Amino acid sequence: MIRSLGLALALVAMSCAQASGQGMVSSKHNLSVSGPGPVRALSETQICVFCHTPHNANPVAPLWNRSLSGATYTPYASGSLQATVAQPNGYSRLCLSCHDGTIAIGSVNNLGAQSATINMQGTGPGGVLPAGSTLIGTNLTNDHPVSFIFNQSLTTADGELVAPSALTGPIRLYEGVTIGVRDSVQCTTCHDPHLVLNPKFLKKPLTGRTDNLCLTCHVKPGWSSSSHESATTKFFPAGSGTSVAELSCSACHTPHTKPGAPRLLREGATSGGAPAIEETCYRCHAPTAQGGITFDIKTQFAKARRHPIADYLGHEPVFTTSTPTAEAVLNTSKHVECTDCHNPHRVRARGTAGTGGVYEGMRAIDLSGAAVQDVTLDRNINEYEICFRCHGDTYSTVIGTSVSGDPSGSIPTGNKRTEFQTANSSYHPVAGAGKNTSSNLNAQLSPNGLSTSSVIRCTDCHNNNFFSGPSFTGVVSQYPANEAQPKGPHGSDRFNLLRARVRNVLPGPSSWSSANFDLCFHCHDVTRLTARRTGDGARTNFYDEAGGKDNLHWVHLIDRVDKSRPLCKSCHYNIHSNVEASNTQYRVTSTNCGAGTLTTNPNMVALSTTRLINFHPNILRLGSRTKPEWCFNTATRQRRCYLVCHQPSGGTGGTTMDGDDKHRYTPPSSGDIQ
């Protein structure tokens, strides 16, 4: 009877052979005793019988000889997926009758005119496929979606897919829910189960810089000439000599990946099945000893202070061409991914002409608080706009209201979007040049390659601590790329992801060392800021020329360091800006500091700048004043302070400054003229 059935199936087998030559016979889909794979029959010689029968077939094409699983599948899902993916249908359901592991491989509907189970070897428990990459299971969340309709509406909504009419080659659409209508992506869109042209029965190779299986359907604007598209570095598999460029999409993605990995990312999950996008990046961005081939980001994220990319909380950044619905989770959890700052399909090297460099293709938030995307706005995204995604309006939720202080305690955070507004009276020049254009400030900055018209980046302060010390003055961006020590706020040995140390919690140090405020001195020349007198090199507006007290930075930070133990933050509590100053009031007068305009809002001061003066909370108000006061007399150019300083211990109740001649200062005429 078996022989008879074998003859009866000859036409089917011949059809297979005609379609695939000898590919089918020599492939792992030959499950007969003559098959080359570990899963094969003990004695059955027929090849096609495992899937097809000319009679008594399952009433689905093509003469299917197996039952179909009644399992309920968990389909693929993604924040950037516009297609509706339901339960598998069409050819995909046929494939899953073996590959979901619910039906024994040898179980067929018709063998010798009756249902039977062919004795197999190499199978798993219950005769199903053994554990491994071919056992897909019923959880399809880590597999390319199938059985969804691919029509023009989907192409339009996604913005990064070819038109369905373009799929006329081997990569094509098949029947789905509607019989006779080829409108769906199925397993057979990518695989030909009868033909072995490429590994895994793929119709086209996964590799290829300009043409591969993925790029047949997916169109990625900005991909061409991006860093990942053009990288000639050899990578995977080890020793193969295949470049990242040649691997193309498959360097980071695979149609069937490990459980838990989002977006079909290779290795994009922990061993426990939790999403871990960074693990995909670490395949290349790791130490050389661990197989890394380019900028070692993994080491940076192992440092004591780092962005929390490993704390997955359900947030998946989206950066497709079509601007998707705002991510509800983006600003509600203290969590960030590599792709919150970098678009891996578009990223370029820093400084690449005509591009946004490492931020090319990103979404961000601008100074007005609006969401912006360089793809749709046709402009490059500023680095600070990337930072505003978490450190802007929702900072208190994402970051929290305080961070760790140095060396202990905590310091408050703030809304960097409002702090860096260029309409503010005083701020560090991140979103635009600063307000203080005095010659003394210019003299402080010029030794380090800066001026009062310079604009700096967030990463000039928050960066890899490798860029600290006397070898790295000025801004970080001026230094060449370093693959072993990459730039960026990925990780630092310093508090608050700073590139260098700045003591920020009272009490301050009891003895002077510029190392305690090293971060500041990367831009503000230490000698010009802290020398005793002008003749010694001092160039600062916090200077009392008329009263003979000389450089008051020297007085506070060096001369009286053991008596008052101050910090830069004693008087510049929020170093980003003083727009949120809650413990300072400002007065401007042309007569005396007992009159004139008084305001607690630094932006209301009739003065172009308030010099980033905003006092530490442990500095108290004096007398009937509501807050510690800084006064400026525009006629005499004198500044006076009315406050009670902090104690050497850092507590309240220190020296009283009542604005008398001991507590006023007058900058040199050659310096601050406002």
Side-chain angles (χ1 to χ4, degrees):
M1 181 62 73
I2 292 175
R3 179 180 298 278
S4 174
L5 181 59
L7 291 174
L9 288 174
L11 291 176
V12 176
M14 183 179 294
S15 176
C16 294
Q18 288 173 341
S20 60
Q22 297 304 309
M24 174 67 190
V25 175
S26 60
S27 77
K28 291 183 178 180
H29 276 172
N30 176 4
L31 298 174
S32 74
V33 68
S34 65
V39 179
R40 62 182 187 275
L42 290 175
S43 59
E44 177 57 56
T45 59
Q46 298 180 89
I47 297 175
C48 299
V49 70
F50 293 89
C51 295
H52 304 286
T53 178
H55 304 289
N56 301 320
N58 193 313
V60 294
L63 296 174
W64 199 243
N65 197 22
R66 297 177 59 79
S67 297
L68 300 181
S69 175
T72 299
Y73 299 88
T74 305
Y76 177 85
S78 168
S80 59
L81 179 69
Q82 283 77 35
T84 300
V85 183
Q87 292 295 298
N89 55 41
Y91 285 167
S92 296
R93 201 172 176 206
L94 306 187
C95 301
L96 288 169
S97 68
C98 282
H99 289 277
D100 72 358
T102 63
I103 300 174
I105 296 298
S107 178
V108 296
N109 288 354
N110 187 2
L111 180 65
Q114 61 183 357
S115 61
T117 299
I118 301 170
N119 293 322
M120 304 293 293
Q121 57 184 314
T123 58
V128 303
L129 278 176
S133 60
T134 58
L135 179 61
I136 293 174
T138 60
N139 184 347
L140 308 181
T141 56
N142 56 319
D143 303 289
H144 191 284
V146 293
S147 303
F148 66 88
I149 295 177
F150 188 155
N151 55 20
Q152 189 56 49
S153 295
L154 176 63
T155 296
T156 302
D158 186 277
E160 296 187 354
L161 293 172
V162 299
S165 59
L167 300 178
T168 57
I171 308 302
R172 60 181 61 191
L173 303 178
Y174 290 86
E175 289 181 354
V177 173
T178 305
I179 303 302
V181 178
R182 290 175 174 263
D183 62 357
S184 298
V185 171
Q186 303 289 7
C187 299
T188 45
T189 298
C190 298
H191 302 275
D192 185 337
H194 300 135
L195 187 61
V196 184
L197 292 176
N198 301 286
K200 308 291 185 183
F201 296 91
L202 290 172
K203 293 179 178 178
K204 291 180 72 173
L206 287 171
T207 59
R209 183 171 177 178
T210 58
D211 183 27
N212 61 49
L213 179 64
C214 306
L215 294 177
T216 304
C217 294
H218 294 273
V219 179
K220 290 295 179 184
W223 171 245
S224 179
S225 301
S226 68
S227 292
H228 289 150
E229 188 272 343
S230 58
T232 56
T233 310
K234 301 297 187 295
F235 178 43
F236 180 82
S240 70
T242 306
S243 69
V244 172
E246 189 66 17
L247 285 168
S248 189
C249 312
S250 66
C252 297
H253 301 277
T254 180
H256 304 279
T257 187
K258 64 190 301 185
R263 300 173 189 270
L264 301 177
L265 289 170
R266 289 186 183 273
E267 306 302 325
T270 66
S271 57
I277 294 175
E278 68 276 8
E279 294 298 331
T280 301
C281 304
Y282 291 162
R283 284 164 49 85
C284 291
H285 295 280
T288 303
Q290 297 180 27
I293 58 172
T294 187
F295 296 98
D296 177 14
I297 303 297
K298 185 176 183 179
T299 296
Q300 297 304 308
F301 280 118
K303 290 183 174 179
R305 315 292 171 181
R306 56 187 179 269
H307 270 106
I309 61 169
D311 301 332
Y312 181 77
L313 296 172
H315 160 55
E316 287 189 28
V318 176
F319 38 77
T320 53
T321 298
S322 57
T323 303
T325 302
E327 299 164 81
V329 184
L330 174 61
N331 291 325
T332 59
S333 300
K334 188 177 181 179
H335 166 243
V336 66
E337 295 286 1
C338 304
T339 43
D340 274 311
C341 299
H342 307 291
N343 183 334
H345 299 139
R346 290 173 173 261
V347 66
R348 261 71 169 175
R350 292 180 186 274
T352 302
T355 76
V358 296
Y359 306 117
E360 175 71 14
M362 281 306 301
R363 297 178 67 209
I365 297 174
D366 67 12
L367 272 175
S368 72
V372 291
Q373 181 170 329
D374 73 342
V375 176
T376 55
L377 293 180
D378 195 26
R379 76 160 172 86
N380 297 329
I381 297 297
N382 295 300
E383 181 182 272
Y384 63 81
E385 293 175 315
I386 298 289
C387 302
F388 288 168
R389 295 184 64 172
C390 293
H391 296 269
D393 296 348
T394 54
Y395 77 95
S396 61
T397 303
V398 182
I399 310 301
T401 56
S402 65
V403 295
S404 298
D406 179 9
S408 61
S410 64
I411 56 174
T413 56
N415 184 339
K416 299 300 173 288
R417 188 184 68 80
T418 57
E419 291 174 4
F420 287 134
Q421 295 291 322
T422 54
N424 293 343
S425 66
S426 189
Y427 51 85
H428 259 101
V430 170
K435 293 291 181 65
N436 185 346
T437 58
S438 69
S439 59
N440 276 331
L441 179 59
N442 209 54
Q444 288 174 30
L445 300 174
S446 59
N448 294 316
L450 298 167
S451 72
T452 53
S453 60
S454 295
V455 175
I456 62 175
R457 302 178 180 181
C458 301
T459 51
D460 286 321
C461 291
H462 302 276
N463 212 310
N464 179 357
N465 59 285
F466 173 77
F467 297 97
S468 64
S471 299
F472 296 101
T473 59
V475 296
V476 176
S477 56
Q478 67 181 301
Y479 296 102
N482 186 327
E483 292 197 355
Q485 296 288 348
K487 302 176 186 176
H490 308 105
S492 173
D493 291 336
R494 299 297 184 192
F495 285 81
N496 309 320
L497 276 173
L498 292 170
R499 64 185 276 208
R501 187 174 199 192
V502 56
R503 290 278 296 267
N504 53 32
V505 176
L506 289 173
S510 59
S511 61
W512 164 249
S513 171
S514 63
N516 287 317
F517 307 103
D518 187 32
L519 178 68
C520 307
F521 299 136
H522 277 75
C523 294
H524 299 268
D525 180 75
V526 62
T527 297
R528 298 187 177 188
L529 191 74
T530 64
R532 181 171 184 176
R533 302 181 180 89
T534 301
D536 300 321
R539 298 290 186 275
T540 172
N541 298 315
F542 193 33
Y543 196 105
D544 184 26
E545 184 176 64
K549 294 190 287 290
D550 303 325
N551 183 0
L552 294 172
H553 280 126
W554 171 82
V555 171
H556 284 78
L557 293 175
I558 298 177
D559 186 50
R560 299 186 62 79
V561 62
D562 58 332
K563 299 179 178 63
S564 55
R565 301 186 66 176
L567 303 164
C568 297
K569 288 177 77 74
S570 295
C571 298
H572 306 288
Y573 187 58
N574 186 339
I575 203 61
H576 300 96
S577 165
N578 63 350
V579 71
E580 295 179 342
S582 60
N583 191 43
T584 306
Q585 63 184 29
Y586 305 84
R587 185 190 300 271
V588 176
T589 178
S590 60
T591 55
N592 61 74
C593 284
T597 304
L598 177 66
T599 179
T600 56
N601 183 346
N603 286 347
M604 296 298 291
V605 176
L607 186 67
S608 63
T609 176
T610 45
R611 302 301 191 248
L612 271 177
I613 293 170
N614 56 102
F615 295 112
H616 191 282
N618 286 6
I619 294 178
L620 304 181
R621 65 184 175 86
L622 182 66
S624 61
R625 289 172 172 81
T626 58
K627 296 182 178 181
E629 181 177 316
W630 178 79
C631 175
F632 173 48
N633 186 318
T634 58
T636 64
R637 298 176 52 255
Q638 286 184 350
R639 279 78 163 169
R640 294 174 184 264
C641 293
Y642 300 86
L643 51 85
V644 180
C645 197
H646 58 74
Q647 295 188 50
S649 65
T652 59
T655 302
T656 296
M657 297 185 179
D658 59 4
D660 65 9
D661 288 346
K662 292 176 58 180
H663 304 122
R664 62 105 178 97
Y665 63 99
T666 307
S669 57
S670 59
D672 195 352
I673 60 175
Q674 294 179 310

